[in-house]
Amino acid sequence: MDYRLVCEALCQAGFRFQTFSEPAYTPSQRCAFDFTPPSHPLCLLRHDVDHDTRPALEMGRVEASFGIRSTYFILTTDSAASVFQNPDTRSAALEDLQALAALGHEIGLHYDPLGDFFADGIPVSESIAQALDYLRSTGLTVTTCAAHGSGRLRKLAGGPSFPLHLANYRVWKECRHAR
C-alpha cells in the first residue's frame, strides 16, 4: 500500500493532526481521555522506530507534504543498540532524526528500562535518564515517551511473550499493581 494514499485519505476525512506533546485536554483534567471531544476528528500518529531511522524519515517526508505532524518514538537500546553504538550508523540515524524534527515532527523516547536492567545490568532509574540525556545532547527536543515491548525480555523468558508484570510501562509506581 502507498502511504501517500493513507495520508491523503486521513486529510480528506477532515482529521486535524497533532503530536503527543500537544494535549487535547487541560492539565487540570485527570487524563487525556477525560476531556470534551473536539468538534472535528483528531488524529495522533505514532511511529515506533525500533531498528532503522531511514524508513521513518521517508514516512515523515510524506506526512509533511500533507501538512501532517506526527510523533516518532526512538529506541536507542535493544534492537536499535547496534545502530546507536556504531559511530557511522549513529551519525546517519541522528541526521535522520534531526531531519524529522526539522519537518515539524516530534521526537520521543521509546524506552526499555527492564530490558536494559535484565540484559545489561543498567538500573531502571538510570536507563531512561541515560537515553533522554543522550538524545537531548544531540540537540533534539524530547518531551514524550512510550514503553517498548522488549525483545530482550522475550528472549530471556524463552518465548514470544513474557510475564506482564515485566512490561516496561510498569516501571512507573502508578502502574505496579495488576488491574
Side-chain angles (χ1 to χ4, degrees), residues 23-151:
Y25 60 96
T26 62
S28 63
Q29 292 171 309
R30 186 174 161 89
C31 71
F33 303 107
D34 185 23
F35 71 101
T36 303
S39 58
H40 52 275
L42 181 64
C43 183
L44 284 78
L45 288 174
R46 167 188 170 161
H47 305 285
D48 292 352
V49 183
D50 292 357
H51 309 283
D52 188 356
T53 56
R54 187 53 42 146
L57 179 55
E58 292 170 12
M59 291 178 75
R61 287 179 175 144
V62 169
E63 292 167 348
S65 74
F66 286 93
I68 295 172
R69 294 179 60 232
S70 62
T71 302
Y72 287 81
F73 289 103
I74 309 305
L75 183 68
T76 61
T77 60
D78 196 9
S79 56
S82 61
V83 172
F84 285 95
Q85 290 173 357
N86 176 309
D88 295 328
T89 55
R90 177 179 54 236
S91 176
L94 291 174
E95 286 177 20
D96 292 345
L97 298 180
Q98 294 288 350
L100 274 169
L103 289 168
H105 299 295
E106 177 178 38
I107 304 299
L109 174 65
H110 199 31
Y111 62 89
D112 184 21
L114 294 176
D116 293 342
F117 177 75
F118 287 109
D120 301 324
I122 300 170
V124 170
S125 60
E126 293 176 22
S127 171
I128 294 173
Q130 286 176 0
L132 276 174
D133 289 347
Y134 170 70
L135 290 173
R136 289 173 174 163
S137 74
T138 68
L140 292 167
T141 300
V142 181
T143 59
T144 56
C145 63
H148 174 62
S150 180

